[in-house]
């Protein structure tokens, strides 16, 4: 039986670093896994990602944005996530349906019922078994994200980083309330911890979850 683990957090929360470290640690323990991300994760969804994240698309309508996330997800779920779970692999995904609730729902103020319906169409029964929320203050996250953009001399994915601070604050609050309402599924960790400390905590909690799940089968 496969397991589906998602990572969530605001900009600059350190998800990508932590997901790579967890991937490596779990492989060392013998897990067969697939690491992927949203938006993207396969050729067609990667093309939609470019539209969604490029700063030149600042005129993108919020509802069009929501539908593009849903379209990318349908493709990704069918092409990558569902087949991997069927092969009994562990799937680690950088962002998923909770991101749509937090960004398009809390951040943009779109109707949460509409988002839930679209998530249901796009994801169906492919729902996360475990979600790791890396939480941190928006000022810290944004300054990390901007330094990374400057260091890499690449702003081709910076459309959301250009949103006002209040937007990111609403996204953070959205995530925190999701984690509170679904405390069984979420593990919330402190994104201001050092990279190694945070990686150790995430690995311990993930292994604990996997052992409990396997014991209950
Ligand atoms: P990331 O790869 O740096 O996490 O960037 C993905 C961006 O897309 C990030 O700003 C969050 C945003 N996003 C949404 O707004 N809604 C979604 O459903 C997903 C998956 C991502």
């Amino acid at each position: 039986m496969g397991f589906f683990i998602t990572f969530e957090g605001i900009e600059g929360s350190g998800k990508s670093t932590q997901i790579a470290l967890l991937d490596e640690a779990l492989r060392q323990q013998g897990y067969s896994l697939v690491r992927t991300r949203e938006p993207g994760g396969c050729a067609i969804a990667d093309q939609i990602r470019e539209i969604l994240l490029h700063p030149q698309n600042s005129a993108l309508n919020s509802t069009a944005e929501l539908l593009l996330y849903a379209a990318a997800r349908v493709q990704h779920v069918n092409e990558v996530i569902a087949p991997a779970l069927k092969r009994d692999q562990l799937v680690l995904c950088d962002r998923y349906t909770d991101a749509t609730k937090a960004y398009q729902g809390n951040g943009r103020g779109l109707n949460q019922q509409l988002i839930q319906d679209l998530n249901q169409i796009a994801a169906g029964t492919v729902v996360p078994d475990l979600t790791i929320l890396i939480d941190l203050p928006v000022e810290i996250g944004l300054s990390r994200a901007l330094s990374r953009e400057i260091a890499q001399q690449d702003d081709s994915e910076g459309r959301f980083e250009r949103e006002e601070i209040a937007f990111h604050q609403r996204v953070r609050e959205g995530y925190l309330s999701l984690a509170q309402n679904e405390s069984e599924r979420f593990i919330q960790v402190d994104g201001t911890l050092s990279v190694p400390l945070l990686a150790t905590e995430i690995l311990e909690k993930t292994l604990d979850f996997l052992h409990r799940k396997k014991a209950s089968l």
Side-chain angles (χ1 to χ4, degrees), residues 13 134-137 140 144 189-194 198:
S13 58
I134 305 183
D135 177 57
L136 82 172
I140 301 177
R144 280 186 192 171
V189 292
D190 178 359
T192 65
L193 291 178
S194 71
L198 191 52

Side-chain angles (χ1 to χ4, degrees), residues 18 67 117 176:
Q18 291 298 331
L67 294 171
D117 292 346
L176 289 173

Side-chain angles (χ1 to χ4, degrees), residues 11 15 38-39 49 53 69 73 95 99-100 103-104 160:
E11 311 302 312
K15 285 177 296 95
E38 287 209 345
R49 177 183 177 96
L53 303 188
Y69 277 109
R73 184 161 297 135
R95 298 196 187 279
T100 320
Y103 279 80
Q104 280 64 52
F160 281 87

